[in-house]
Amino acid sequence: MGMRQYLQTIRDEFLELLQANERRPEEERLPREEFEIDPDLRKMIEDQTEEKIRVAKLEMQWESEKKSVALRKLNAFFLDNVEVERIVLRPFRERFKVTSFRAA
């Protein structure tokens, strides 16, 4: 039996216990919290997850700012010194057109 099958077996048994608990009369039912073996483990896992989310957000902010700085530098190098980005000349009688390109 592999690990996934073992975990699925445990989940199935847990669901059966919950269903059996629900079938009991109200005064004999156990609260859901009683089914937790180690409540501190849940808190520890939640804390670790929150920390991972915080670190991931910081990494995303760093990458976003890094890309923004790179874009500003590229714009400054290639576009800031260009007075006109593009000029299109169209004749009155013909169907072609001539377009300029940027040269710094």
Side-chain angles (χ1 to χ4, degrees):
M1 181 185 300
M3 180 58 79
R4 291 178 191 233
Q5 292 172 340
Y6 178 69
L7 288 174
Q8 188 59 45
T9 304
I10 292 175
R11 283 187 191 111
D12 292 340
E13 289 176 10
F14 180 70
L15 290 175
E16 287 175 15
L17 285 173
L18 287 176
Q19 290 171 355
N21 188 46
E22 290 297 318
R23 287 191 297 265
R24 295 256 183 214
E26 183 67 35
E27 60 275 357
E28 293 180 7
R29 287 185 194 166
L30 291 173
R32 174 70 185 227
E33 296 81 29
E34 293 295 323
F35 287 94
E36 291 185 19
I37 296 172
D38 188 1
D40 294 334
L41 179 64
R42 176 181 294 275
K43 176 69 173 140
M44 185 178 69
I45 291 172
E46 287 174 356
D47 291 343
Q48 288 175 350
T49 304
E50 288 175 8
E51 179 64 19
K52 287 179 183 178
I53 290 171
R54 188 186 68 78
V55 168
K57 283 182 180 179
L58 286 174
E59 288 175 0
M60 289 176 63
Q61 288 174 348
W62 169 259
E63 284 298 318
S64 176
E65 186 62 28
K66 182 178 169 184
K67 302 295 181 194
S68 296
V69 168
L71 181 61
R72 282 196 303 271
K73 285 182 178 182
L74 287 171
N75 280 334
F77 185 77
F78 288 107
L79 295 178
D80 286 352
N81 59 354
V82 176
E83 291 181 21
V84 177
E85 287 192 28
R86 183 176 162 192
I87 298 173
V88 178
L89 298 174
R90 292 184 181 94
F92 291 110
R93 295 185 183 150
E94 303 293 329
R95 293 190 169 260
F96 65 88
K97 63 182 175 182
V98 177
T99 304
S100 67
F101 59 92
R102 292 187 299 258

